[in-house]
Amino acid sequence: MTQSTAFTIAPGGWLGLLGGGQLGRMFCHAAQSLGYKVAVLDPAAECPAGMVADLHIQAAYDDEDGLARLAQTCQAVTTEFENVPADSLRALATRCRVSPAADAVAIVQDRIAEKAFIASQGIAVAPHAAIRSEADLRAAPDSLFPGILKVARLGYDGKGQARIDTREAALAAFAEFGGVACVLEALMPLDYEISVVIARGFDGASVVFPVARNVHRDGILAVSTAAPVKLDAAHAERQAQATAAAQAIAQGLGYHGVLCVEFFVLKDGSLIVNEIAPRPHNSGHYTMDACVTSQFEQQARAMAGLPLGATDLLAPAVMLNLLGDIWYAAATGDAQREPDWAAALAVPTAKLHLYGKREARRRCNRPRPMPPGSPPPWACRRPSNAMPASPDSASAADIADAARRLLAGELVAFPTETVYGLGADAENPQAVARIYAAKGRPANHPVIVHIAPQGDLSYWAAEVPPEARLLIDAFWPGPLTLILKRAPHIADTVSGGQDSIGIRCPSHPVAQALLAAFAAGKPNGQGGVAAPSANKFGQVSPTRADHVRGEFPDEVAAGMPVLEGGASEVGIESTILDLSRLDRGAGPVLLRPGHIGAAQIEAVLGVQVFAPDAAAPRASGTLKAHYAPRTALELASDARLQAVLQGRGLPPGKVVVVAYTPPPAACDARIQWQQVPADPARYAQALYALLRDLDGRGFERIIVQAPPADDAWHAVNDRIGRAAAAFTLDTTDL
């Protein structure tokens, strides 16, 4: 029979699926919610879709008996992935409705045919050449080098690709690929990536989902963001171009079903198509929770001949694609443990979608969409870098309100994993000036700009050296601030008049949610929040929301939001590393030690990290006297501590000793002993909260036992040393 497009399949009927993977599992859920039964054909005995389908036909994709049973059972069949045999789709199309059609899938299965088709529609692709032999490589234009060599068929998630700089390297890669047909693409000046998911019915009607902006890691989709943005003319035109191109591709293919088109946005703002996926797409997973109709429901509607649903975005969304790596206890080895799902789901707007695979494998996808202003939790880029949300974290409504206030030029206090920050729009000089006024901060003392994981560092920095990229991959999101050359369009109000700028991507989920929502409200989608610690200048940094409210009672009374986020996990300010003078031979310079130590940085960069020199840029928290409580603080050596215990050189009032060693059997009656953790990370986490607590208990002096002098204690020694430098004390033995 010929394929019919005129009839509607009523709920209760059977829909078929070639492929039993994760996309098929999500399709099953959507189709079943509409009342349909689903049959899955997949050769695996256990597969994600087969576990939830109404019928699992275990057979190869080209098995005649299996295909016959699928066609006999189902009135319409679709495919879960693009590499099913096109001939199987053709065979099915003689007995039931098939979408997408075999001819459309066949084009997309071959990169050479795909690029030729896209170009035939008048849509730009990267300069390229079809490579079927070594002779083709030798004849390829010089303009294609450096480039990327991709196998023409069966490549996905970065597999079957090699970045090559020379013709000789391309020949070696071609041989390594076994001499199969390839495409050689010129390396383009990529700015970022976007994708458009479109659904098209048999009646020719189509709907398009909001454009997603994507970040890949090692060729695998890591993060997709969809947010309503106030677009400037250039961005609005770019999104309209991408949408129109996706619609033209779907129409040109005679496509029915759900299709994704991936685009590269180049540095000059132009668009080129990277590739087409003839199916729902990982970058569209956010539609399950953040859109009126999901991409999987659209797939079922199109198959059944039903009207397509609305694609309106209900709330900003971030989709994080979790890999099997997070089940492993360490970067190497086979030991596994269950991720802390309860911590992730403590974020009220988080939505968790797992594939139901029996075992986790490294580099294996397990995506989780996260809608409504939702904070990407601990798995944002590197699970070891981030932290779970506190149960008392700010709500999505609180975060959305705070983002609106930032856009209006107001101040907002918010949590990070280091300390709480007092934030303002980094591109609004008047708003930044309010930070300085509220803190009593000198105008030449720079502040750090905080950006979301999806933020574009090159928007803020005039140059992003390779060393910065290495450190970002290793430590962001996390407590590392990079000092880079400031982009000319960024005002020097955030840098204290210097030509450099400090940038950080925090890992705290509330901070990430705030930064993402704030950036979404910016015309260009690039939002940065200038945020020093939320305390009066030179005082102890806050690590809880109540600390901030105590520091700024007038501002809070006037309506300044203080977002809740629990106690800061790190507890001291970020490491600050200067990379702004690499071109002048300065090397990386550690301006302020923190949770990430010099040895960790050196292990990533493979070069020495230097101490500050006279020409180093000014940076936050590096004045000689800083981080000081209101109570006088003394840093005591072991010898001085022994004198203290005997009552020598003490003021007349009460004294508290802060020490990482147990209290002695006996000491002067005026002394109270406060033991703190002997682990440097736990000590740092507890330090500021303890100093604030002691500040309110009527002590005349806080005497701090000098911590060990080794590298692990560098940051703690730095903070205590600067705190003690704020006081000139008489410690003469009496």
Side-chain angles (χ1 to χ4, degrees):
M1 59 179 284
T2 59
Q3 182 166 314
S4 170
T5 61
F7 65 91
T8 296
I9 303 171
W14 282 83
L15 303 180
L17 186 67
L18 282 174
Q22 52 264 28
L23 298 177
R25 182 185 181 92
M26 295 173 182
F27 169 78
C28 286
H29 291 319
Q32 288 164 342
S33 73
L34 290 172
Y36 293 99
K37 297 176 183 178
V38 181
V40 169
L41 187 149
D42 190 279
E46 285 189 351
C47 56
M51 294 176 187
V52 298
D54 299 279
L55 173 65
H56 176 198
I57 302 171
Q58 187 181 351
Y61 299 125
D62 58 357
D63 181 84
E64 292 183 4
D65 292 339
L67 293 171
R69 186 180 177 192
L70 186 66
Q72 183 179 8
T73 304
C74 302
Q75 295 166 279
V77 174
T78 189
T79 176
E80 187 240 5
F81 69 114
E82 53 265 50
N83 289 321
V84 298
D87 285 343
S88 295
L89 297 176
R90 292 189 180 96
L92 287 168
T94 65
R95 306 182 63 178
C96 63
R97 174 186 289 170
V98 172
S99 62
D103 290 346
V105 173
I107 290 173
V108 176
Q109 286 176 339
D110 187 307
R111 292 185 190 275
I112 297 173
E114 179 185 55
K115 290 189 179 298
F117 165 77
I118 296 169
S120 73
Q121 303 300 302
I123 300 169
V125 294
H128 66 282
I131 305 297
R132 297 182 176 88
S133 65
E134 288 189 2
D136 290 334
L137 267 177
R138 297 187 189 283
D142 291 341
S143 59
L144 297 183
F145 301 95
I148 301 177
L149 189 69
K150 303 178 180 180
V151 295
R153 300 179 67 87
L154 302 178
Y156 68 97
D157 281 351
K159 297 178 176 65
Q161 299 186 15
R163 179 167 173 170
I164 46 91
D165 293 324
T166 64
R167 199 178 302 272
E168 291 69 28
L171 288 166
F174 183 67
E176 186 175 337
F177 291 155
V180 300
C182 293
V183 169
L184 174 62
E185 294 181 10
L187 200 61
M188 305 300 287
L190 175 65
D191 192 2
Y192 58 91
E193 302 173 39
I194 60 175
S195 58
V196 177
V197 175
I198 180 173
R200 188 168 185 267
F202 283 101
D203 59 358
S206 65
V207 293
V208 180
F209 285 97
V211 175
R213 181 162 174 167
N214 305 318
V215 176
H216 287 77
R217 292 281 177 264
D218 299 324
I220 299 175
L221 180 65
V223 182
S224 290
T225 304
V229 180
K230 298 176 182 177
L231 298 171
D232 58 27
H235 281 76
E237 181 181 359
R238 192 171 304 135
Q239 292 207 2
Q241 288 175 348
T243 298
Q247 290 172 319
I249 287 171
Q251 184 173 354
L253 286 171
Y255 195 90
H256 306 119
V258 174
L259 173 85
C260 179
V261 183
E262 298 179 31
F263 296 88
F264 290 151
V265 181
L266 305 184
K267 293 288 187 183
D268 63 3
S270 60
L271 282 175
I272 60 173
V273 172
N274 176 34
E275 61 184 18
I276 304 167
R279 52 169 172 80
H281 195 259
N282 278 7
S283 68
H285 284 326
Y286 75 88
T287 64
M288 288 189 288
D289 296 295
C291 289
V292 174
T293 313
S294 76
Q295 62 173 344
F296 300 103
E297 183 179 336
Q298 300 285 32
Q299 187 180 25
R301 285 179 180 231
M303 289 175 68
L306 297 174
L308 299 174
T311 58
D312 302 71
L313 188 67
L314 300 175
V318 177
M319 190 286 297
L320 306 175
N321 196 25
L322 302 185
L323 301 180
D325 304 59
I326 68 168
W327 272 258
Y328 287 81
T332 59
D334 298 326
Q336 293 189 16
R337 80 285 187 271
E338 191 68 20
D340 191 351
W341 304 122
L345 292 174
V347 180
T349 53
K351 297 290 185 179
L352 179 65
H353 295 272
L354 296 178
Y355 291 159
K357 295 182 178 179
R358 181 172 293 277
E359 62 178 354
R361 291 176 292 171
R362 295 187 188 276
R363 316 308 295 165
C364 185
N365 298 340
R366 288 174 179 257
R368 170 185 56 203
M370 301 195 48
S374 57
W378 47 266
C380 180
R381 286 193 184 170
R382 297 174 66 250
S384 59
N385 278 358
M387 59 179 293
S390 165
D392 58 355
S393 290
S395 68
D398 292 336
I399 292 168
D401 176 67
R404 286 192 293 269
R405 289 172 180 262
L406 287 172
L407 291 165
E410 299 180 33
L411 300 184
V412 170
F414 63 97
T416 78
E417 72 281 12
T418 56
V419 298
Y420 276 65
L422 184 64
D425 182 350
E427 294 185 272
N428 183 335
Q430 292 76 28
V432 174
R434 293 187 183 100
I435 295 177
Y436 283 85
K439 285 177 61 73
R441 188 182 184 91
N444 68 344
H445 204 59
V447 293
I448 294 168
V449 176
H450 297 67
I451 62 174
Q454 297 77 35
D456 183 358
L457 187 60
S458 63
Y459 177 80
W460 302 94
E463 297 178 14
V464 182
E467 291 85 349
R469 298 292 184 193
L470 290 171
L471 293 169
I472 287 168
D473 286 342
F475 300 118
W476 278 18
L480 175 65
T481 294
L482 299 178
I483 304 295
L484 303 171
K485 292 182 179 179
R486 176 171 50 82
H489 66 276
I490 303 298
D492 64 4
T493 49
V494 296
S495 59
Q498 303 176 108
D499 62 0
S500 57
I501 186 170
I503 304 285
R504 185 166 93 81
C505 176
S507 64
H508 196 291
V510 173
Q512 291 192 350
L514 176 65
L515 294 168
F518 173 66
K522 283 284 194 172
N524 58 6
Q526 296 298 327
V529 174
S533 57
N535 54 272
K536 297 297 184 180
F537 184 71
Q539 302 297 310
V540 177
S541 299
T543 57
R544 298 199 310 261
D546 61 295
H547 296 163
V548 180
R549 288 190 283 268
E551 286 280 336
F552 298 104
D554 294 340
E555 287 81 356
V556 172
M560 182 184 79
V562 180
L563 296 180
E564 291 280 355
S568 297
E569 185 184 42
V570 173
I572 59 172
E573 302 79 5
S574 62
T575 304
I576 300 181
L577 187 74
D578 177 32
L579 299 177
S580 66
R581 301 175 296 150
L582 296 179
D583 59 345
R584 288 173 266 170
V589 174
L590 185 67
L591 300 182
R592 180 175 73 185
H595 183 72
I596 296 170
Q600 293 170 274
I601 295 170
E602 289 172 344
V604 171
L605 297 182
V607 297
Q608 181 182 353
V609 172
F610 297 94
D613 55 277
R618 297 185 303 279
S620 295
T622 55
L623 297 181
K624 180 179 179 181
H626 216 78
Y627 313 114
R630 292 171 176 82
T631 304
L633 185 146
E634 175 189 347
L635 182 60
S637 66
D638 288 344
R640 168 61 182 155
L641 192 58
Q642 290 303 313
V644 165
L645 295 177
Q646 297 169 20
R648 303 200 309 271
L650 291 181
K654 292 192 303 178
V655 171
V656 61
V657 171
V658 176
Y660 60 89
T661 55
C667 64
D668 189 278
R670 289 170 290 174
I671 295 174
Q672 179 176 318
W673 195 272
Q674 180 71 52
Q675 188 172 350
V676 288
D679 173 76
R682 293 176 57 216
Y683 187 115
Q685 184 183 34
L687 176 62
Y688 287 160
L690 175 61
L691 291 180
R692 284 180 170 273
D693 176 62
L694 297 177
D695 240 354
R697 290 168 55 183
F699 292 106
E700 189 163 337
R701 186 177 299 179
I702 301 170
I703 299 177
V704 180
Q705 178 188 20
D710 58 52
D711 288 344
W713 290 87
H714 188 187
V716 170
N717 275 306
D718 174 84
R719 302 309 191 273
I720 297 174
R722 294 180 194 277
F727 303 96
T728 302
L729 303 175
D730 181 7
T731 59
T732 305
D733 288 355
L734 299 178

